[in-house]
């Protein structure tokens, strides 16, 4: 115990900027020497995509190689560089601290994105995993508004996602692509990436209008009953799409252009985190919590419960619609079967694993379930034993999820860690 | 603390030095990807694909590798689970192409995964052969995507003509799952072909249900009352027994005809005697097979304990096609993009490939021209060859 504490203490004076610099160095090392030198001499066939989990599980002989790779490429450079550069990262962080918080956050985010872009660019598989993980983050945060902050149990998220996915796909196919369903493109295709956000927003609005079907009964029912209504809504959407022939019915719809690139998804994810954070910390967000804790009491304390519930539902559904639109353009194919019970189970697992009532928790949940699902891929069937087991243990020991009812303070996270200056 | 660190470092160094893979040069290994639904809704299909692939690999290993241009190369299979989910199939394909450097991919089996996965394979210019997907969109406008089976627009008329010629009936009923694109597409093709031959209104009942329904009595009652003489039921192996048994209980007397989705051995195991004497169209017939087909069936049955279904046979053929194409490519340069292109060109040129599910020649679209087989379920519950219908 003592050594861990000492270890932690030793690295405690590194600001976020220092860590970012360390990771940046690690990624650079991987980028320039990863394939030709490091993985070659360690006997690995390629650069390990997800820290070597796939190699290790497939061939135990590669475990030392993978461990060595992770040590040489990630752990040692990150710790070393982060520690060495504290002499100037701390003062820089101090300067950033004096700036307005939003500016400092944006600078950090740009640095973070640069690193992420470089890291994901090494391998297309990695990029795809990162993209889908970020979409999961949007989904998880948006369901957290309903299931966490408002405390309902809504099961209609795949339905909202489907509406968003279909509406934005129809729009992009109609306007920018020559395809079999809608014929020639109505607008020149170079406009596509610029108008794509609008189609996403249209999908989001369509989803939030769809959510009214769930929101209105939610005035009268709570708990199990609402769960059933929202589940029914999901199935209604699925069957409706199956029976609408001109958007492909059960055959699905394909050929969406590749507009959902990594920067696009990253920007949407950050927007989502920022806007939802503002939403839940606003008066409306407090009202949501009040409705969750005691509806009658909050009504008597002048909270408009109807309006609150409706807004929360429409707001959550809007972001689910955005996520659906992004999802459709990452995969270039959607069919109604994609937005069904399995998807629901996945989303619910992410939000309950990560933690209710917490944006950070949602991010942790989405990332860990997505990455675990990918990393344990070689185990095939056993993957579906291990992940649920982890979920069960989390539920036993932390019934509200890993990080629940907690928010991270951006200012504290980004501040300079120099103890002398702290003392001043 | 120090002791532990030292020990760790020393043991780590030892492990590095003695591990077999360390410091060895990268060899050119030919990798073939298998994208199969090992978990999810239809695990039996994934199992069949995996077993067939393992048998194929065994053959190659026995021969000491794959001989290309006079040089033998080691072959490795990369088997990925697509969980019967579209995005998982896309992820699996992306992983196999960009991470594992596969030269060709066999799979996914179902159309709902094969259509999006084909997009990825085409984007990265890698050959993908879907053994079982019958949806036209899988290969449409995709030069790098091929398939190992016939399409719905061919199978529909085959079944329709078979019924008309063999039984001489004129009034048919169709029962299909509206949420399964395979069943829906095939039902439409059948209806079109039947009405073309017998005139409009000759399909007297066109009834649908949704996936996971287990009670078909209302649809079947309507069908029986409509005066239909034959029922076309293109269901999957898990639904066929329910449909057949319920139809018989409700007093259906006429024949019930199925499609290639009946092909699994599970159909008869679950259905029992109710299914004896029924017909379906498929890719190959296990009972009474001869030649290479029989050898394959016997070997598979010996190794895995049950008669291979059509998915296994088609996967086997798809792998042999890939093997042939790699051999025809002439040489392996080690530059994966170039090799993939060579394999694709070689595959498109293959003519009259003798597979165990029939001879194959690819069209421009990457679809094979091959014969369908009508199979009768005999009194022992075996799938007996009845008739072969060629385009």
């Amino acid at each position: 115990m003592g050594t861990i504490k000492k270890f932690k203490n030793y690295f405690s004076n590194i600001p976020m900027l220092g860590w970012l610099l360390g990771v940046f160095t690690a990624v650079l090392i991987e980028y320039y020497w990863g394939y030709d030198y490091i993985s070659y001499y360690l006997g690995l066939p390629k650069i390990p995509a997800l820290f070597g989990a796939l190699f290790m599980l497939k061939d135990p002989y590669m475990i030392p190689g993978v461990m060595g790779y992770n040590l040489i490429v990630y752990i040692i450079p990150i710790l070393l560089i982060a520690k060495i550069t504290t002499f100037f990262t701390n003062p820089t962080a101090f300067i950033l601290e004096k700036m307005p918080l939003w500016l400092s956050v944006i600078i950090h985010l740009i640095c973070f994105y640069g690193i992420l872009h470089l890291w994901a660019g090494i391998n297309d598989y990695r990029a795809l995993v990162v993209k889908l993980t970020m979409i999961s983050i949007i989904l998880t945060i948006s369901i957290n508004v309903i299931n966490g902050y408002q405390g309902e149990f809504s099961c209609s998220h795949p339905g909202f996602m489907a509406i968003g996915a279909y509406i934005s796909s129809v729009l992009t196919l109609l306007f920018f692509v020559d395809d079999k369903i809608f014929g020639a493109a109505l607008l020149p295709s170079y406009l596509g990436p610029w108008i794509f956000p609008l189609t996403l927003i249209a999908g989001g609005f369509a989803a939030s209008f769809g959510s009214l079907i769930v929101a209105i009964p939610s005035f009268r029912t709570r708990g199990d009953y609402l769960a059933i209504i929202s589940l029914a809504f999901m199935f209604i959407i699925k069957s409706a799409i199956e029976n609408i022939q001109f958007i492909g019915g059960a055959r699905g719809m394909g050929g969406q252009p590749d507009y959902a690139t990594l920067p696009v998804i990253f920007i949407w994810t950050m927007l989502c985190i920022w806007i939802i954070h503002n939403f839940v910390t606003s008066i409306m967000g407090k009202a949501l919590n009040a409705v969750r804790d005691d509806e009658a009491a909050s009504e008597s304390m002048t909270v408009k419960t109807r309006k609150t519930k409706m807004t929360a539902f429409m707001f959550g559904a809007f972001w689910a619609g955005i996520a659906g639109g992004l999802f459709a353009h990452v995969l270039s194919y959607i069919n109604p079967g994609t937005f069904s019970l399995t998807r629901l189970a996945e989303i619910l697992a992410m939000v309950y694993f990560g933690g209710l009532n917490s944006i950070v928790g949602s991010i942790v949940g989405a990332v860990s379930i997505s990455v675990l699902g990918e990393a344990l891929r070689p185990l095939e069937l056993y993957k579906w034993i291990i992940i649920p087991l982890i979920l069960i243990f989390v539920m036993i020991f932390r019934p509200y999820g890993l990080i629940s009812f907690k928010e991270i303070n951006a200012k504290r996270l980004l501040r300079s860690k120099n103890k002398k200056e702290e003392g001043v | 603390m120090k002791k532990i660190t030292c020990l760790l470092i020393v043991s780590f160094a030892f492990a590095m030095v003695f591990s077999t893979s360390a410091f060895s040069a990268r060899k050119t290994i030919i990798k073939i990807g298998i994208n199969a639904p090992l978990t999810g809704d239809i695990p039996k299909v994934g199992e069949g694909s995996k077993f067939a692939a393992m048998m194929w690999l065994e053959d190659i290993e026995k021969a000491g590798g794959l001989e290309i241009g006079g040089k033998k190369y080691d072959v490795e299979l990369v088997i990925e689970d697509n969980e019967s989910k579209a995005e998982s199939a896309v992820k699996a394909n992306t992983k196999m192409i960009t991470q594992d450097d596969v030269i060709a991919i066999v799979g996914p089996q179902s159309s709902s995964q094969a259509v999006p996965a084909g997009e990825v394979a085409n984007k990265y210019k890698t050959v993908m052969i879907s053994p079982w997907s019958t949806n036209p969109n899988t290969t449409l406008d995709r030069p790098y995507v091929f398939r190992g089976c016939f399409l719905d627009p061919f199978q529909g008329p085959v079944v329709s003509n078979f019924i008309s010629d063999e039984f001489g009936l004129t009034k048919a009923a169709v029962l299909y799952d509206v949420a399964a694109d395979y069943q829906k597409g095939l039902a439409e093709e059948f209806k079109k072909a039947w009405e073309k031959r017998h005139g409009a209104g000759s399909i007297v009942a066109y009834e649908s249900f949704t996936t996971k329904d287990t009670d078909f009595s209302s649809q079947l009652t309507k069908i029986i009352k409509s005066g239909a003489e034959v029922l076309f039921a293109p269901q999957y192996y898990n639904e066929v027994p329910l449909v057949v048994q319920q139809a018989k209980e409700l007093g259906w007397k006429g024949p019930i005809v199925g499609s290639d989705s009946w092909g699994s051995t599970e159909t008869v195991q679950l259905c029992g005697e109710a299914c004896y004497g029924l017909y379906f169209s498929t890719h190959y017939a296990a009972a009474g097979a001869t030649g290479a087909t029989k050898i394959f069936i016997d070997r598979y049955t010996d190794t895995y304990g049950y008669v291979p279904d059509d998915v296994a046979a088609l996967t086997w053929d798809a792998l042999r096609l890939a093997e042939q194409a790699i051999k025809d490519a002439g040489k392996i340069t080690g530059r994966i993009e170039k090799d993939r292109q060579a394999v694709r060109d070689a595959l498109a040129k293959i003519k009259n490939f003798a597979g165990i599910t029939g001879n194959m020649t690819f069209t421009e679209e990457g679809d094979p021209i091959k014969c369908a087989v009508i199979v009768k379920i005999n009194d022992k519950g075996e799938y007996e060859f009845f008739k072969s219908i060629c385009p």
Side-chain angles (χ1 to χ4, degrees):
Chain A
M1 206 58 208
T3 43
I4 294 174
K5 215 169 181 187
K6 234 191 242 165
F7 190 76
K8 253 174 113 177
N9 215 15
Y10 184 68
F11 290 105
S12 66
N13 67 337
I14 300 169
M16 189 45 88
L17 215 56
W19 288 116
L20 283 177
L21 200 67
V23 176
F24 181 60
T25 327
V27 173
L28 276 186
I29 290 175
E30 183 168 55
Y31 191 79
Y32 285 109
W33 301 320
Y35 183 72
D36 288 331
Y37 301 104
I38 302 172
S39 63
Y40 183 79
Y41 288 117
L42 290 173
L44 301 175
K46 271 203 117 175
I47 291 179
L50 299 171
F51 308 109
L54 299 171
F55 287 155
M56 285 203 280
L57 292 172
K58 215 162 77 180
D59 184 0
Y61 280 117
M62 287 196 187
I63 290 178
V66 168
M67 302 279 257
Y69 185 88
N70 284 344
L71 212 63
I72 294 170
V73 174
Y74 294 108
I75 300 173
I76 294 176
I78 290 176
L79 293 179
L80 212 65
I81 297 292
K83 185 68 193 171
I84 289 174
T85 55
T86 42
F87 72 90
F88 82 91
T89 45
N90 262 328
T92 323
F94 189 68
I95 295 169
L96 284 175
E97 217 179 309
K98 299 271 182 251
M99 292 181 186
L101 184 63
W102 60 267
L103 193 65
S104 160
V105 168
I106 284 178
I107 290 170
H108 277 91
L109 278 181
I110 290 172
C111 294
F112 176 67
Y113 177 73
I115 296 167
L116 189 73
H117 194 98
L118 203 61
W119 186 74
I122 292 175
N123 182 311
D124 276 354
Y125 169 60
R126 214 181 245 182
L128 184 71
V129 172
V130 170
K131 280 183 190 175
L132 290 174
T133 306
M134 287 200 285
I135 292 172
S136 310
I137 291 178
I138 302 184
L139 275 175
T140 315
I141 298 182
S142 67
I143 201 175
N144 211 343
V145 172
I146 302 169
N147 286 29
Y149 290 94
Q150 203 202 322
E152 302 279 13
F153 192 87
S154 161
C155 300
S156 43
H157 244 56
F160 301 148
M161 203 182 155
I163 298 178
Y166 268 90
I167 296 285
S168 65
S169 302
V170 165
L171 289 175
T172 46
L173 287 179
L174 179 66
F175 286 120
F176 307 113
V177 183
D178 300 320
D179 75 316
K180 278 157 249 134
I181 310 173
F182 303 108
L186 297 179
L187 291 173
S189 61
Y190 62 83
L191 279 175
W194 303 103
I195 302 192
F196 177 57
L198 293 183
T199 67
L200 281 183
I201 291 171
F205 275 120
S208 47
F209 277 113
S211 75
L212 282 178
I213 301 173
V214 188
I216 290 167
S218 83
F219 302 146
R220 299 189 176 280
T221 57
R222 290 209 73 168
D224 305 349
Y225 303 101
L226 185 72
I228 290 165
I229 292 173
S230 54
L231 200 61
F233 172 78
M234 188 188 87
F235 281 113
I236 291 170
I237 295 292
K238 183 172 164 273
S239 324
I241 297 172
E242 268 160 9
N243 286 293
I244 301 174
Q245 281 318 310
F246 90 103
I247 52 168
R251 285 237 138 145
M253 185 160 63
Q256 287 90 337
D258 189 17
Y259 292 152
T261 50
L262 195 59
V264 171
I265 299 180
F266 183 79
I267 291 171
W268 277 106
T269 314
M270 290 308 134
L271 265 181
C272 169
I273 293 173
W274 179 59
I275 293 175
I276 292 191
H277 175 264
N278 282 355
F279 177 79
V280 296
T281 46
S282 67
I283 296 174
M284 183 66 88
K286 304 286 173 225
L288 275 184
N289 282 355
V291 171
R292 176 194 62 203
D293 293 338
D294 194 326
E295 200 174 329
S298 55
E299 176 116 46
S300 65
M301 301 302 271
T302 72
V303 172
K304 286 181 187 154
T305 52
R306 280 195 171 198
K307 191 181 150 207
T308 315
K309 282 177 168 180
M310 202 137 112
T311 324
F313 258 103
M314 291 179 74
F315 191 68
F318 175 81
W319 285 104
I322 299 269
L326 289 169
F327 180 81
H329 288 82
V330 168
L331 241 54
S332 287
Y333 173 82
I334 39 172
N335 67 349
T338 316
F339 306 104
S340 189
L341 275 175
T342 20
R343 164 90 35 207
L344 176 70
E346 217 175 274
I347 299 173
L348 289 178
M350 283 173 189
V351 71
Y352 287 100
F353 181 80
L356 291 174
N357 225 50
S358 162
I359 288 175
V360 190
S362 300
I363 297 173
V364 169
V367 172
S368 36
I369 295 278
S370 321
V371 172
L372 261 183
E374 245 359 83
L376 298 181
R377 196 176 253 288
L379 294 181
E380 291 169 15
L381 200 62
Y382 297 104
K383 174 175 138 187
W384 297 116
I385 299 172
I386 293 173
I387 295 178
L389 262 184
I390 296 176
L391 211 62
I392 290 172
F393 280 117
V394 168
M395 288 297 110
I396 291 174
F397 294 109
R398 299 190 74 108
Y400 292 104
L402 281 180
I403 305 169
S404 48
F405 299 93
K406 236 187 245 168
E407 257 357 305
I408 280 195
N409 188 340
K411 195 163 177 145
R412 249 187 87 175
L413 193 72
L414 300 180
R415 75 173 177 199
S416 132
K417 298 280 169 67
N418 206 331
K419 274 162 198 148
K420 269 181 228 151
E421 270 157 15
E422 217 172 340
V424 169
Chain B
M1 171 68 193
K2 244 182 196 163
K3 266 185 198 163
I4 296 172
T5 327
C6 278
L7 205 69
L8 268 177
I9 290 170
V10 169
S11 59
F12 186 72
F14 259 95
M16 282 306 312
V17 171
F18 290 108
S19 80
T20 49
S21 51
F23 301 107
S24 57
R26 288 187 173 117
K27 268 199 298 186
T28 310
I29 298 175
I30 294 175
K31 288 184 176 173
I32 294 186
I34 307 281
N35 190 337
L38 299 171
T39 59
D41 290 339
I42 41 170
K44 204 79 193 162
V45 168
E47 191 185 271
S49 330
K50 190 179 160 187
F51 286 169
M54 274 153 55
M55 261 171 67
W56 176 81
L57 187 67
E58 205 176 274
D59 275 5
I60 298 286
E61 277 173 352
K62 233 182 250 166
L66 195 59
E67 197 176 323
I68 304 156
K71 209 175 154 217
K72 284 205 168 166
Y73 290 91
D74 282 345
V75 176
E76 199 184 302
L77 283 179
V78 182
I79 300 177
E80 284 294 334
D81 175 21
N82 64 32
E83 301 160 29
S84 326
K85 284 197 296 196
E87 84 266 30
S88 203
V90 167
K91 274 191 210 163
N93 259 18
T94 314
K95 177 190 168 268
M96 289 193 288
I97 294 170
T98 63
Q99 177 72 14
D100 298 322
D101 284 338
V102 294
I103 200 161
I105 292 171
V106 171
Q109 306 290 7
S110 310
S111 296
S112 44
Q113 287 105 49
V115 176
E119 183 73 32
V120 176
N122 201 46
K123 193 170 92 187
Y124 290 105
K125 299 196 178 0
T126 306
V127 169
M128 179 182 118
I129 309 173
S130 173
W132 204 43
S133 162
T134 47
N135 187 329
N137 286 338
T138 307
T139 55
L140 200 63
D141 296 330
R142 289 172 180 168
Y144 291 86
V145 183
F146 296 81
R147 81 174 88 217
C149 57
F150 47 69
L151 278 78
D152 297 343
F154 170 65
Q155 191 176 188
V158 161
V159 179
S160 151
N161 290 339
F162 162 73
I163 297 171
S164 316
D165 296 341
E166 208 61 41
F167 303 125
L169 303 173
T170 53
K171 279 191 280 182
V174 179
L175 178 68
Y176 68 99
D177 179 351
V178 73
D181 56 350
Y182 163 77
Q183 298 191 21
K184 191 150 179 285
L186 195 52
E188 276 162 12
E189 293 297 338
F190 176 82
K191 188 177 177 204
K192 224 193 290 170
W194 187 267
E195 286 185 339
K196 204 170 138 200
R197 180 146 175 177
H198 300 286
S202 54
I203 297 278
V204 287
Y206 195 64
E207 294 298 318
S208 66
F209 63 96
T210 342
T211 316
K212 296 202 168 100
D213 279 1
T214 49
D215 182 15
F216 308 103
S217 46
S218 72
Q219 289 96 329
L220 288 168
T221 313
K222 262 193 211 161
I223 288 171
I224 292 168
K225 279 199 182 136
S226 70
E229 294 161 328
V230 58
L231 171 62
F232 178 55
Q235 270 72 46
Y236 285 110
Y237 67 82
N238 51 349
E239 293 154 346
V240 174
L242 299 170
V243 172
V244 172
Q245 283 162 359
Q246 288 176 21
K248 297 236 156 133
E249 272 164 29
L250 290 167
W252 173 263
K253 294 276 173 344
I256 300 175
V257 180
S259 59
D260 66 311
S261 52
W262 283 35
S264 168
T265 35
E266 300 262 303
T267 312
V268 177
Q269 277 172 20
L270 297 171
C271 186
E273 284 183 21
C275 280
Y276 292 179
L278 301 183
Y279 297 85
F280 63 92
S281 67
T282 186
H283 308 275
Y284 93 129
T290 52
T293 317
K294 187 168 164 32
I295 297 171
F296 168 77
I297 292 167
D298 290 347
R299 228 179 105 193
Y300 189 101
T301 318
D302 283 348
T303 322
Y304 302 111
Y306 64 93
V307 178
D309 42 26
D310 54 344
V311 182
L314 288 167
T315 308
W316 174 267
D317 268 358
L319 276 163
R320 297 239 351 269
L321 267 171
E323 179 191 334
Q324 187 65 42
I326 295 170
K327 277 184 182 163
D328 288 355
K331 65 169 195 258
I332 293 293
T333 57
R335 305 195 51 131
I336 196 76
E337 285 85 13
K338 227 168 144 186
D339 292 340
R340 282 173 181 161
Q341 183 64 41
V343 170
R344 191 261 151 202
D345 294 341
L347 185 57
K349 280 198 206 103
I350 288 179
K351 289 234 155 56
N352 277 327
F353 175 80
I356 57 172
T357 59
N359 285 358
M360 282 183 250
T361 304
F362 286 110
T363 63
E364 282 284 294
E365 280 297 345
D367 302 324
I369 304 166
K370 64 196 278 193
C371 304
V373 173
I374 301 289
V375 161
K376 184 184 181 183
I377 303 177
N378 68 14
D379 295 337
K380 283 184 231 141
E382 291 169 340
Y383 297 157
E384 203 177 79
F385 177 85
F386 186 77
K387 194 178 177 185
S388 172
I389 299 173
C390 294

